[in-house]
Amino acid sequence: MILEETIIKYCNGQCTNEEKEAIEERLESDSSLREQVFEIRKIIELERDIAECRSYDVEGAFHKLPIKQKKTDRVLILTRSMLKYAAMFILPFVMGLFVMYYAKNITSRDVGSTEIYAPIGARLKYELPDKSTVYLNSGSRLSFSTNFNHGKRKVKLKGEGYFEVTANKRSPFYVETEDGSSVYVYGTKFNVSAYSDDSFVETVLVEGCVNYESKSGKTIAKLKPGHRLVYNKLNHNVDIEKTNVEEKTGWRRGKFIFRNKPLSEITKMLSRYYNIDILIDSSVKQDYLFRATFRQENIYQILDYLSLSAPIQWLNIESKPIDSTDFRKRIIIKHK
């Protein structure tokens, strides 16, 4: 039996190598332990946000706080900035309620729609009304209406999500992306990557069958397990090929898996997850390919490993201001 104290140390990256190996061996087969680690990490992330808030310009931040509110929506959005403001103005016992709210994914009960948001640097697991499960990657959003279970089941995705859809032949499940195209299934497991700053939408099928639908509602492709579909948002072309499913979906278990992946793609993934600008200097060759798996390593440990695998080095550079209360960290990768 693994003590909870040891699990907390593991989530903080403070356990010994022996403890780390023991926990990771259990994680492969123990779903309850994976859930426990997932929840602890979310709470740790929240505590870090609250700790950071004390260095912020409270008065300036308050005047910048947006007043807009959607009365018809029921929204679950716990962004970093909201937590920082909450930490400044709300009593400590109320902040304890925020921790419970954040860790248990409780949604407000107004009439309209629901939006779920995975904060930067975290991954979120959520159970939909039909008992389907979705995992959201860092910074991703998922929304659906209150009549989700009536007729076809439809969700809207911005970012990346892994879906385990409960089978229902009379009620298709649609994942609609920002460009208007959709993935629809009746019951299966699949991953969809639909970031706004990408020129494509990628769907990876783990098991079952996936249909891809254009904005006009026409089915343009079907996908088999172990394959990925790439839809080009600019020219509307569709490419289907075999893929490494574990590499594409390992993120939901807290893994970065790179299999002959170029540096440019790796830095894009790391930038999204850690909310850091990573620049690649023109002196760096673009044909470096990397093969590695990361679990608990932070951004700097990952960059150190990459620096050992190729003639590159990374340097912190001046932070880029986003507003008066927040600065986005910046890193540049140069040739050694």
Side-chain angles (χ1 to χ4, degrees), residues 246 255-259 291-295 297 305:
E246 179 62 17
K255 294 181 181 181
F256 286 115
I257 302 175
F258 306 136
R259 296 292 181 264
R291 183 180 179 87
T293 299
F294 300 101
R295 290 184 176 87
E297 293 81 358
Y305 174 85

Side-chain angles (χ1 to χ4, degrees), residues 123-173:
R123 300 173 179 93
L124 178 69
K125 179 182 178 181
Y126 187 84
E127 185 177 277
L128 294 166
D130 68 336
K131 304 303 180 183
S132 295
T133 300
V134 59
Y135 297 79
L136 291 181
N137 208 346
S138 169
S140 300
R141 297 175 184 270
L142 188 83
S143 60
F144 56 92
S145 67
T146 51
N147 63 353
F148 175 79
N149 263 334
H150 301 283
K152 68 180 182 181
R153 301 168 288 174
K154 184 172 74 172
V155 298
K156 293 183 178 181
L157 174 68
K158 295 180 181 179
E160 185 168 23
Y162 177 88
F163 298 84
E164 296 178 351
V165 177
T166 302
N168 185 340
K169 292 184 178 180
R170 293 179 296 180
S171 179
F173 187 104

Side-chain angles (χ1 to χ4, degrees), residues 187-200:
T188 186
K189 296 179 181 180
F190 61 98
N191 191 87
V192 178
S193 177
Y195 289 96
S196 300
D197 58 347
D198 280 339
S199 62
F200 62 88

Side-chain angles (χ1 to χ4, degrees), residues 36-73:
Q36 189 176 5
V37 168
F38 183 82
E39 299 294 344
I40 290 174
R41 282 177 177 165
K42 288 193 292 185
I43 293 173
I44 289 172
E45 182 69 22
L46 179 59
E47 289 173 344
R48 288 173 180 167
D49 282 336
I50 292 174
E52 287 178 14
C53 74
R54 302 189 186 281
S55 62
Y56 280 69
D57 177 4
V58 181
E59 185 176 355
F62 177 76
H63 289 299
K64 287 180 173 289
L65 189 65
I67 308 300
K68 296 178 181 179
Q69 179 181 0
K70 294 181 179 180
K71 295 182 180 180
T72 60
D73 290 349

